[in-house]
Amino acid sequence: MSKRHLEMHKLENVGWLRAAVLGANDGIVSTSSLILGVAAAHATHQAILVAGVAGLVAGAMSMATGEYVSVQSQADTEAAALDKERAELDDNPKGEQLELANIYVARGLAPALAQQVAASLMAHDALGAHSKDELGITDAMSARPLQAALASALSFAIGAALPLLVVLLVPHNSLIPAIVAASLLFLAALGGLAAKVGGASIRKGVLRVAFWSALSMAAAAGIGALFGTTV
């Protein structure tokens, strides 16, 4: 029983873990691509570092804002649905109980048992029963805008800090190959983690992330070299 309880909690956290991994992935890709573009334009080491820090701050704020707006919209939709359901329960409790019983019948319960279960759940927490089984809204999966915004900003910032650390530690003349190698290594690790969390092939996850990330960095470096200076 204890093992099953732990497995349930793991499933509840998969969505947040996957979002955190993807946020860190975005931080690495966007910041390393920005650094490579500026470095390929023959900027100074200080200018590269400033550009990277600016990219980290701007990206983290953008992620937080976008996530907050998106999840707040979901929260508003959930609240409106719950208000409507609450009004329907007040106006027609018997009809709502029948509706709940029909849901359980569709899931495989015998009609008499479904009626008994619906009546018991309605007596205990009518709105909770309908929000979960009719609307699909649960405490574990309900929208939390501030939590989502903070998680996205933090995971992006952590990912973006990794290529910035390379800029701080590696000499200027070795910066481009070091950024490419380190970023692909970080991204491969995150791709494998995301695949493992989702139960997918780790090898495919690593190769997919590495390929598209390398393409992004190559495009940024190419643009920097094309429009940069030789000063």
Side-chain angles (χ1 to χ4, degrees):
M1 181 63 70
S2 176
K3 182 178 179 181
R4 177 173 178 152
H5 183 71
L6 290 173
E7 288 175 351
M8 288 174 66
H9 277 285
K10 181 179 179 181
L11 288 175
E12 289 174 359
N13 292 327
V14 162
W16 285 108
L17 181 56
R18 184 176 298 170
V21 169
L22 292 176
N25 185 92
D26 285 346
I28 296 173
V29 173
S30 60
T31 306
S32 60
S33 297
L34 175 62
I35 289 172
L36 286 173
V38 176
H42 306 287
T44 65
H45 203 91
Q46 183 67 23
I48 295 170
L49 182 59
V50 170
V53 172
L56 183 155
V57 175
M61 294 303 295
S62 176
M63 289 284 288
T65 302
E67 194 72 11
Y68 181 84
V69 171
S70 174
V71 179
Q72 184 61 59
S73 297
Q74 179 187 342
D76 291 342
T77 301
E78 290 178 357
L82 289 173
D83 287 341
K84 181 180 178 182
E85 193 64 34
R86 190 178 290 108
E88 291 174 350
L89 286 168
D90 291 337
D91 293 339
N92 186 16
K94 290 185 178 180
E96 289 299 303
Q97 181 175 319
L98 179 61
E99 184 179 23
L100 194 62
N102 288 336
I103 292 174
Y104 299 143
V105 170
R107 292 180 182 176
L109 290 184
L113 180 58
Q115 286 284 358
Q116 183 180 353
V117 171
S120 179
L121 291 176
M122 289 277 289
H124 175 68
D125 181 6
L127 182 61
H130 279 270
S131 66
K132 179 180 179 181
D133 294 321
E134 181 183 350
L135 303 177
I137 301 173
T138 64
D139 289 339
M141 301 301 293
S142 61
R144 296 179 176 86
L146 289 176
Q147 182 181 355
L150 181 60
S152 293
L154 184 60
S155 61
F156 182 95
I158 291 173
L162 295 176
L164 279 175
L165 185 62
V166 177
V167 176
L168 288 172
L169 298 177
V170 174
H172 187 74
N173 56 358
S174 304
L175 188 58
I176 290 179
I179 286 289
V180 172
S183 296
L184 288 178
L185 179 63
F186 297 145
L187 289 163
L190 283 174
L193 178 59
K196 184 176 181 179
V197 168
S201 168
I202 294 178
R203 180 175 177 273
K204 288 182 179 179
V206 169
L207 291 176
R208 185 185 304 117
V209 170
F211 172 78
W212 290 107
S213 301
L215 190 63
S216 173
M217 289 187 285
I223 292 173
L226 182 63
F227 295 102
T229 66
T230 57
V231 178

